Amino acid sequence: DRIESYVTQGPRYHGWLWGNQLKGSRSLLVFQAAGTDTPGIGDVLFLIENEDEAGEISQYVRVTGVTSDEKNYTVGGSTRLRKAVIIEIGDPLRETFHGGELALVDVNVFDATLYTTQVADAAKYYGVSELTQPASAGDITVQVDSIYTHLVPSAQGEAPLVDLSPGEARPVVGCSATSYTTPSVTWTQEDGKTFSFGRGIVPGTLTFDAYNDYTDDGSGLLLDGTSEVGTVDYATGLITIVDSPVKWTGSVTATADIATEVAETINSAMTAVTINNRGYNFTKILEPPPSPGTLVVDFMAQGKWYRLRDNGAGALLPDIDNTGTGSVNYSTGSVILTCGAIPDADSAILYAWGNPLEVDNLAGNVTISVAQIVHTLTDIPIEPGSLVITWPSGGGTATATADVYGVISGSATGTVDSARGKVIFTPAAIPEPGAEFSFNYSRYVQVTASVPVTMVGDMAQMTIPQAPLRAGSISFLATLSIGGVSTNLSFADDGAGNLFAPGATVDGTVSASEFGG
């Protein structure tokens, strides 16, 4: 017990003894608010009853195992979500500690109180080591197998962690100039109850309209005026009520500026702690310099890890009060660490931080070009003006039609070569994924003939037999020799008496009257 008392009484533990903990027991039954952390294996807790009164009893206990389960408990007609925790301890209880039962309001009205502890390394402890060489009276030094040994068996536990990034450097940045308000929903407010905003939140912009108008303080706390009532996870938009004055059910909404979590490139470094450099103060120059608010520093003392975090203003603040302090210079990357206890030999000071990065806000309207669609119909020629194209769009059906001149309009723009069946069009909106296009048209009988060409000056003339000809149905191939270079061109008529050859500039006319062509 003296060895386990190398720690001193710290802040109250965020839980209560559930019922009486009997003398001789090697476990404690505790209840606490849902979502709160359980003690770690190796932690030391302090139990005390009748504090500062006659008959006071107390005991330090080391945690050797933890199991927990969250359930809804009904007390006085009100249902509360609570976490029941079974804490296994190394030494049995020397006395019976009297706890209490669940109540509507969690206040310490029990005889026994549970506290956390802090390391206090002022005491000295002595163990036994075996001599490796005989010692004689008057010797100034002796040789032993090791100057380090376990004074008592230590508690150890393993917790594999996968798919994690080192450090916690993930700032949240705004990605919209406008606020977003969630749809109104019916919600029950109580301790441990969560509400999802549905997306990231810009710190300091949240208004949560529930039992009262709650706001956030920009650092992750949910406030009712100046009172802390919950927490906000800015990266995920999760709002948690941890201190509700009453149970309440009604309509709620949340309003905030939209943000996103930016994953930074993570760096890490270490300083080995040896017999020669053990002390309270350590310095380190981090390269590249850390981005504000991303540095975490860990050190081990008495077999327990302690963490300090960068507050974004150049100060290192400990997770547990009075366990360390320090500072960081964002320009040079220099770090000064003062540990609350001397780190263990053969351990390490661990540093993890994020690189500074530049983020561009691309919020706003984005113009997306719709891809042009080219399709060739096999059953040709097409009767001009008969083509209808349909496809699913926006939950309905989009429709485009071609006129007798081959011009496509409606839900798309483009052209169709009726003689060759080549359709080129661009939808007015992006088609739905997997959308299929339907082409409906009438076909007419095609006549193919070889027609002689007569040159009249610099003009080429020919007469197509079997007139009258259908407007927009004429198509022919011709070889042009210009300057000794032959070029094959494909001609078609536009339905208005004009010939055109894509990619070439050749003038020509065609007569398509009912009497000849």
Side-chain angles (χ1 to χ4, degrees), residues 3 13 54 76 85 130 148 209 221 267 278 281 316 320 340 349 386 409 412 441 450 456 491 514:
I3 293 172
Y13 180 73
V85 185
E130 185 176 357
Y148 297 102
D209 183 11
L221 293 178
N267 298 276
R278 288 185 75 198
N281 298 306
L316 291 177
I320 303 176
I349 310 294
S386 67
S409 60
Y441 59 95
S450 178
V456 180
F491 287 86
E514 66 182 43

Side-chain angles (χ1 to χ4, degrees), residues 199-221:
R199 59 202 67 192
I201 295 174
V202 176
T205 66
L206 174 66
T207 299
F208 185 40
D209 183 11
Y211 177 75
N212 291 324
D213 288 336
Y214 300 146
T215 58
D216 75 293
D217 68 346
S219 64
L221 293 178

Side-chain angles (χ1 to χ4, degrees), residues 13-26:
Y13 180 73
H14 50 260
W16 296 265
L17 295 177
W18 193 352
N20 297 332
Q21 315 298 306
L22 301 180
K23 179 179 179 180
S25 174
R26 287 184 176 271

Side-chain angles (χ1 to χ4, degrees), residues 18-37:
W18 193 352
N20 297 332
Q21 315 298 306
L22 301 180
K23 179 179 179 180
S25 174
R26 287 184 176 271
S27 66
L28 303 176
L29 180 58
V30 173
F31 72 88
Q32 57 195 63
T36 53
D37 295 333

Side-chain angles (χ1 to χ4, degrees), residues 13 66 353 462:
Y13 180 73
V66 178
W353 71 97
M462 61 183 174

Side-chain angles (χ1 to χ4, degrees), residues 346-482:
D346 298 325
S347 66
I349 310 294
L350 304 179
Y351 304 84
W353 71 97
N355 286 351
L357 78 167
E358 181 177 341
V359 178
D360 291 330
N361 190 338
L362 301 179
N365 296 326
V366 178
T367 301
I368 300 176
S369 298
V370 181
Q372 186 182 68
I373 297 174
V374 179
H375 180 66
T376 301
L377 303 174
T378 58
D379 198 8
I380 57 176
I382 302 171
E383 181 178 346
S386 67
L387 178 63
V388 178
I389 310 172
T390 58
W391 66 94
S393 178
T397 300
T399 303
T401 59
D403 60 16
V404 294
Y405 303 112
V407 178
I408 297 175
S409 60
S411 298
T413 58
T415 60
V416 55
D417 184 340
S418 298
R420 289 175 295 174
K422 189 172 184 178
V423 184
I424 303 175
F425 66 100
T426 303
I430 299 177
E432 296 179 356
E436 294 186 353
F437 293 84
S438 296
F439 299 85
N440 299 287
Y441 59 95
S442 299
R443 177 184 180 276
Y444 64 85
V445 179
Q446 183 178 23
V447 177
T448 303
S450 178
V451 180
V453 178
T454 301
M455 298 301 298
V456 180
D458 60 354
M459 299 288 291
Q461 292 182 348
M462 61 183 174
T463 301
I464 300 175
Q466 299 183 0
L469 307 178
R470 185 113 186 190
S473 69
I474 301 171
S475 175
F476 63 89
L477 297 175
T479 301
L480 273 64
S481 295
I482 302 175

